[in-house]
Amino acid sequence: GTVEQDGILAPCQGSTPSYSAWYEMFPLPTVYSTMTVRAGDSIVASSYYDAGTAQFTLSLTDTTDGQHFTHTLSCPSGSQCQRLSAEVISEAPSSGTAILPLTNFRAESFGDITVTDSRGQRAGLRASWWGTYAVATENSGGTVLDQPTQIYRGKDFDCYWMAQS
């Protein structure tokens, strides 16, 4: 019922891409930042829960030009934020009823990924206490849209766009 997340949206208007930074405390609506994001920028994003304050800190930094935001927020009123999973994801856009075509982003890299559990254990994706999965995005017809590589050094992986047939 809840998701606490931030990231970069990269839709195309015709053949022209546009980029925006955002954060979300679902079921509340997505909030878009005034940051300017460009193709090729290096982004560091994090979502952290502080048990002492019972608040989430959502941070995103464009390390290419130094722009950033940090928002410290409570679980949305009327919701119970269970904090049962963590994701590092490249997500295809959706129309609300179907997965849309994925723009040719060629390749993207995810690096130095760490997760902290409710007991304070902090580790990369391949720690023995996580149930880590590599997932290929598929549309409703089963066509693979993008493909992640194997996890490298327990903390890094790349994702490659796959041409649609």
Side-chain angles (χ1 to χ4, degrees):
T2 64
V3 176
E4 306 78 35
Q5 60 185 353
D6 53 21
I8 300 297
L9 177 66
C12 284
Q13 311 295 328
S15 62
T16 305
S18 63
Y19 305 93
S20 53
W22 57 271
Y23 69 91
E24 181 180 38
M25 293 288 290
F26 185 83
L28 298 176
T30 302
V31 178
Y32 293 92
S33 169
T34 58
M35 288 174 54
T36 300
V37 180
R38 293 177 180 84
D41 283 3
S42 175
I43 304 295
V44 174
S46 72
S47 174
Y48 176 76
Y49 178 74
D50 184 332
T53 63
Q55 292 188 309
F56 294 87
T57 301
L58 305 178
S59 303
L60 189 139
T61 301
D62 183 331
T63 60
T64 304
D65 62 17
Q67 295 180 86
H68 66 277
F69 67 72
T70 298
H71 298 282
T72 302
L73 306 158
S74 298
C75 188
S77 179
S79 298
Q80 182 180 0
C81 296
Q82 296 184 25
R83 305 177 330 273
L84 298 176
S85 67
E87 296 180 22
V88 178
I89 184 171
S90 178
E91 185 174 33
S94 171
S95 66
T97 58
I99 294 175
L100 298 172
L102 189 61
T103 300
N104 180 356
F105 59 81
R106 291 190 294 250
E108 58 189 350
S109 296
F110 296 87
D112 199 24
I113 302 159
T114 56
V115 179
T116 306
D117 71 9
S118 61
R119 294 180 304 277
Q121 296 181 105
R122 183 175 171 90
L125 296 171
R126 287 290 185 206
S128 62
W129 53 88
W130 306 141
T132 302
Y133 302 96
V135 179
T137 305
E138 295 184 15
N139 71 19
S140 60
T143 302
V144 175
L145 301 177
D146 65 3
Q147 182 65 54
T149 63
Q150 295 292 321
I151 296 171
Y152 176 69
R153 296 181 309 153
K155 293 184 174 185
D156 307 320
F157 69 94
D158 295 321
C159 195
Y160 295 93
W161 179 81
M162 305 298 284
Q164 296 185 24
S165 51

